[in-house]
Structure formats: C-alpha cells, structure tokens
Amino acid sequence: MAFDDKRFNRIFSATILIGMAVMTILATIFKWNTTDTGKMILIVSAIGSIFGVLSTVCAANGRIITFLFGFFDVTIYAVICFISGRYGNAALHALYFVPMQLFGFMQWKKRGASEKKEVKARRFTGRQRAIYLGIFALSLVAAYFILNRFDHSESHTLIKMLVLADAFSTVCNILGQYLMSNAYMNQWFFWIGVNVSSIIMWSLTLASGESYALIYVIKYSFYLINAINGLRIWLNLSASGTEVAG
C-alpha cells in the first residue's frame, strides 16, 4: 500500500497536540503543590505552551494560522523569560517575535497561503547557506558575550552553559523566525537548534528549583519532534523553490 503523506501528517499533528496538552496538564498538576508563589506563572506557562504547540504544528504544515497562535505564544513566553531572568529570550520575544508575527502573516499571504492552502516554500542556494552559517557563528559569539555581561550567577567556568544555551537559542530564534516569515525551508535547522538549546536551558533552570520550568522542558521536547517532521514536510514543499533571498 502506498504511503499516504497527508494522512500521516494529520495523525502526527494530532498526536503532538494531544500529547503536549496531556503532558502540560499533568506537569501543572504535579508541580501545583510544590510551589507557593508560582501558581499563576504555572498556569500562564501552561496556556502559552498550548498556543505554542498549535503554532508550531501549523507552521510545520505550512498553514498561515500559525501566526495567530504564535502571537499569543511569544507574548506569554516573553513575560515568563523576563520573570525567570532569561533576558536575552525575553527581549527577543517582546521586541522581535511579536511584530514578526504580523510580518510573517503578510509575507505568507503574498506567497499564496490561505485558510486552506499551504504556503509556497523555498530553499537556500549554496551561496546563501554559506552566508547564513557565517552570520550564525558571528552572532552567537556576540550574543554570548553580551548576555554574559548581564549574568550574575556564581559560575566561574570558562564558558557558562546556561548563558551559552540562552545565546544559542536567541540567535537560532532570530534567524529561524526571519526564514519562517519568508517561507524558507532552511528555517527548520534553526528551530531544531532552538529546541535542543531550550531543553538544556530549562532543564538547568528546573534543576535550580524553579518548578514551572518543567512545562518548558516538555514543551521544547515536543517542539523538537515536530521540527524534525516540519523539516521533512518543507523539503517536499520547497522541492522546486530555490530562490534568491528577498
């Protein structure tokens, strides 16, 4: 029997959505009695995570409604990051991600996306791959040293892993969102980087005693699975879409 790609995507997306919702609810219940002052943060984090997984699943499938769910997700996440001292991600989401939801919506409309129609995806040329790799490397170094100046932890190691994870996530987020808003398949390599670094960052936060961080560990674990599937889908969507960046 031939592989039914659309049916697989529907089942996969439903599994991610249901799995994320169930795990978020269970994590919230589990952590409810272990925190005295963070109950409201716990609830808001859970709501934001649901919006976030809706956004990423829709993005993976090339659906323009991703930007509506994304708006609520990034707004909530900006507040949570600020409260937890992750200032790089807080500033990134408030000043960049929020307005980029509108920009992305308009760009996808130009590329044929609608309520029922997938966006016309594209992918990098060899030259563009080299350029973005260089931009990523330079930006990561700059972001690490900038964020390190604001870090007041007691760590005396040569490289502070929490700061590095924050910087890595920040740079991948910026490039990933730009490429997503312009419908480039290559965005998914950066989203995979975001998810891996965010899992590390929130795991370290959880280990320091911040119970609400468990929700974000779960959230980015599901995101990582979804991003891998999103890469697979967009490789097909962009099969004939190599263009010069614009």
Side-chain angles (χ1 to χ4, degrees):
M1 187 172 70
F3 177 71
D4 189 337
D5 191 61
K6 289 186 177 181
R7 183 170 182 271
F8 172 82
N9 288 337
R10 286 195 297 269
I11 294 173
F12 185 93
S13 297
T15 301
I16 291 290
L17 288 170
I18 295 170
M20 178 65 185
V22 170
M23 292 302 294
T24 299
I25 292 171
L26 291 177
T28 302
I29 293 172
F30 177 73
K31 288 295 182 180
W32 185 260
N33 294 321
T34 64
T35 178
D36 296 322
T37 60
K39 286 185 170 61
M40 182 56 68
I41 293 178
L42 204 60
I43 293 172
V44 173
S45 297
I47 294 171
S49 293
I50 298 300
F51 277 123
V53 77
L54 283 167
S55 175
T56 57
V57 167
C58 291
N61 287 279
R63 301 297 181 182
I64 197 169
I65 197 173
T66 181
F67 295 106
L68 174 61
F69 296 130
F71 174 81
F72 292 108
D73 173 41
V74 298
T75 301
I76 291 171
Y77 192 66
V79 175
I80 298 300
C81 282
F82 182 81
I83 292 172
S84 64
R86 308 291 169 250
Y87 301 116
N89 270 284
L92 166 70
H93 282 73
L95 303 178
Y96 178 70
F97 263 94
V98 172
M100 283 297 282
Q101 301 309 305
L102 178 59
F103 175 76
F105 179 84
M106 293 187 296
Q107 290 296 104
W108 279 35
K109 288 285 283 186
K110 291 179 182 179
R111 297 195 62 80
S114 66
E115 236 177 88
K116 298 181 180 180
K117 194 174 179 182
E118 300 163 338
V119 68
K120 294 177 183 176
R122 48 186 170 176
R123 63 176 67 175
F124 283 168
T125 62
R127 180 172 177 271
Q128 288 172 323
R129 281 194 293 271
I131 290 173
Y132 274 90
L133 183 60
I135 291 173
F136 170 75
L138 292 173
S139 299
L140 179 59
V141 172
Y144 176 81
F145 283 107
I146 291 171
L147 294 177
N148 193 47
R149 290 181 63 86
F150 294 95
D151 181 70
H152 303 294
S153 68
E154 297 298 323
S155 174
H156 298 292
T157 57
L158 180 61
I159 297 178
K160 297 180 180 179
M161 291 307 297
L162 194 57
V163 177
L164 180 60
D166 194 9
F168 191 90
S169 177
T170 299
V171 174
C172 284
N173 263 305
I174 291 172
L175 294 176
Q177 179 63 60
Y178 177 79
L179 297 176
M180 174 188 170
S181 295
N182 286 282
Y184 279 99
M185 172 278 295
N186 310 77
Q187 63 172 294
W188 293 104
F189 295 109
F190 291 103
W191 291 136
I192 290 171
V194 168
N195 297 327
V196 171
S197 60
S198 294
I199 290 169
I200 294 171
M201 182 178 74
W202 289 111
S203 294
L204 292 172
T205 302
L206 179 63
S208 71
E210 300 291 348
S211 60
Y212 66 86
L214 176 61
I215 290 176
Y216 287 106
V217 174
I218 294 170
K219 170 183 175 179
Y220 282 102
S221 295
F222 275 92
Y223 277 16
L224 178 58
I225 297 170
N226 184 69
I228 294 170
N229 189 53
L231 175 60
R232 182 189 66 83
I233 293 172
W234 280 61
L235 282 169
N236 292 327
L237 289 178
S238 64
S240 60
T242 301
E243 300 181 19
V244 176

